Every structure is written in structure tokens, then in C-alpha cells.
Amino acid sequence: MSAFSGPPEDRAAIRELLETYADAASRIDKAQWLDCWAPDAEWITSHAQVRGHDELGRTWDDLFTDMDAMIFFAMPGAIQVAGDTATARCHVREIARIGGKVMKFAARYDDDLVRHDGRWRFARRTYVMNIAE
Amino acid sequence: MPFTGPLEDRLAIRELYGTYADASWRGDRELWLSTFAADGRWSSHLFDATGHDALAATWDGLWKDWASVAFLGEIGAMAIDGDMAPPAPTPGRWYRPKRAQCSSFAAITPMRSQSWAANGSSRTAPTQ
């Protein structure tokens, strides 16, 4: 199967969702970030595994207790659309100031997506670290 | 150079860059090779390789000392001749030269030393 498959308009919309997520993270915009997730979405990282907007919101608050600046770049490596669900692989570069110290991460998100109320949102994001600096 | 040409081709070219990056991140040599045309050229200040055999040899030489790679590309421009659009855009399967410019970021972890990063290199899209 090709790394990118399905209707071009859905692939473009999912690309824009990945960019909206990156924009929200880079501007520390919690509402926009939460809006990228389906209501019962799951976020799996080495620090936490949470589900639903309430838990996602609390995890965001915890992260940004010590983090006061972040930039977030995202590059889709694969998007496969099948009707109202999709899978994607997204490579990310994060630079964050945490507790006064600048840290850099290069990682991958393995994503499940769902068309919710007519637009694409994340159903599950799984974070896989590649290089931490 | 602005972004010109059919949107469908521009999406396909974005996806080609994505596939190239994905293959680089995951160390997938075959997928990476498939993003180049048969006579595709990869040049930098360190090497200049043309054709899959030379490309593969260059990849092998680089990965001899690499443990992991992070690669991101930001496409700054694309110019596509609409008359040359392929019938079914597929990453790595273009039929006529198309030009794009991509600024890339790479973080590479060598096998036996500290990680280092190189910024601001650019390359020309593989073409056929």
C-alpha cells in the first residue's frame, strides 16, 4: 500500500490538522489543541496514557506548569485514509524551555484519526522518541 | 519561485518529501531509494551520487556510522509544468522534471559520539 492513499481532499485536511496541532503547541493555545482531538481520544506518551478531553486538558496543564515556551514542527510521513477513519505517521521536532532549560526532541507520532462532526480529529496519538537532546 | 502548477501535483510532491523524510527517520533504505528516479541525483558538499547504485552506496556509507536520524523538510517553492503532470501522481514516479526547493533540518546520532545537528541545507527534488 502506498504511504499516502485515499481521497486527496482528506489527505490535505489531515495535513492541516497536523499543522493546526503544531500551531496550537507552538502558541501554547490549549483550546485549539484540545479541539484537535475527538471527545474520547487517547494520548499515549512515555509519561502518561490519558483518554478524553478532561484528562487531556489536565495533562496539558501539568506539562505547561514548567514549560513556558515551545516550538513544534510536524512533517507527515504517511497518511492512509479509509472512509471515515485514517492512520498517519508524523515526524515532529520540538524545542521547549522547561524550568528555564532548553530541551530538543525529535520524535514520531503514530496516529489514528476519525472524521468527527464532518472534520478530521485525532482518535489516538502515540509518541515514539527518536533523539532527545 | 512561487508555488505554481496543479494542486494535486503539489500535494503529491509534498507527500514525496514526506516519504523521503519518513524513510530517513526510520532508516528504510529501500523506501528511500524508491523516492528517487532511476537516474535521480543526490548532491551535497560531501558527495554527488547519480543513479540507484551510487545512491545506495552513499546511503550505506553514511549509515555505517549513524545510529538514528531525524529529518524535516520545509518546502519553500515548487514550479510544475501543467502539461507534464503524470497520469497518477505517485511519490517517486514522476515522468518529467519538476523543480522544488526544500530547506531541511537534520539531527543525526552517530554510533559512538555525541549527537550533532546541521541546519539550513537545501536540496533539489529528485526528478525523472
Side-chain angles (χ1 to χ4, degrees):
Chain A
M1 179 186 273
S2 171
F4 294 88
S5 61
E9 60 270 26
D10 286 327
R11 280 144 56 189
I14 288 169
R15 191 174 277 277
E16 290 174 349
L17 175 68
L18 296 166
E19 291 169 344
T20 300
Y21 185 100
D23 177 57
S26 296
R27 294 187 302 103
I28 313 184
D29 184 333
K30 182 185 176 186
Q32 181 175 312
W33 180 82
L34 272 177
D35 196 45
C36 294
W37 300 87
D40 61 347
E42 221 177 344
W43 190 26
I44 300 166
T45 71
S46 56
H47 299 296
Q49 180 167 350
V50 297
R51 180 189 285 273
H53 276 210
D54 289 347
E55 289 185 14
L56 285 165
R58 278 196 293 276
T59 305
W60 170 282
D61 292 339
D62 289 345
L63 283 173
F64 284 98
T65 301
D66 294 326
M67 185 165 22
D68 68 325
M70 155 164 278
I71 59 167
F72 188 107
F73 296 98
M75 187 169 196
I79 299 173
Q80 290 159 349
V81 181
D84 289 331
T85 62
T87 58
R89 212 165 35 236
C90 184
H91 300 285
V92 302
R93 172 66 166 173
E94 300 158 286
I95 301 173
R97 189 167 59 222
I98 304 170
K101 184 181 175 193
V102 174
M103 303 186 73
K104 302 175 184 177
F105 309 105
R108 184 183 85 232
Y109 267 116
D110 292 330
D111 294 326
D112 292 331
L113 302 106
V114 61
R115 198 194 310 268
H116 180 85
D117 283 346
R119 67 183 177 90
W120 288 99
R121 295 189 192 185
F122 296 112
R124 180 187 298 115
R125 303 208 87 185
T126 303
Y127 188 87
V128 182
M129 182 65 77
N130 184 356
I131 300 173
E133 297 172 85
Chain B
M1 185 170 65
F3 290 84
T4 58
L7 284 176
E8 194 173 332
D9 282 337
R10 279 146 63 182
L11 176 62
I13 290 170
R14 282 188 184 282
E15 292 176 344
L16 174 65
Y17 277 102
T19 301
Y20 181 99
D22 185 51
S24 300
W25 281 78
R26 296 188 297 105
D28 188 332
R29 181 178 184 263
E30 295 312 308
L31 181 62
W32 179 83
L33 271 177
S34 79
T35 63
F36 283 90
D39 59 349
R41 180 181 176 192
W42 190 30
S43 63
S44 79
H45 61 295
L46 297 174
F47 49 78
D48 190 346
T50 300
H52 278 208
D53 288 349
L55 290 165
T58 305
W59 168 283
D60 291 341
L62 291 170
W63 276 89
K64 192 153 45 70
D65 294 324
W66 291 357
S68 55
V69 167
F71 180 98
L72 290 174
E74 181 70 36
I75 303 170
M78 288 188 216
I80 301 163
D81 184 333
D83 294 337
M84 294 179 177
T90 304
R93 299 287 182 271
W94 298 339
Y95 302 103
R96 292 288 187 276
K98 298 171 175 24
R99 306 295 294 183
Q101 291 180 345
C102 176
S103 299
S104 64
F105 158 86
I108 297 165
T109 305
M111 285 290 192
R112 287 176 292 276
S113 62
Q114 291 290 95
S115 65
W116 55 273
N119 291 285
S121 63
S122 66
R123 67 191 177 90
T124 300
T127 59
Q128 180 170 315

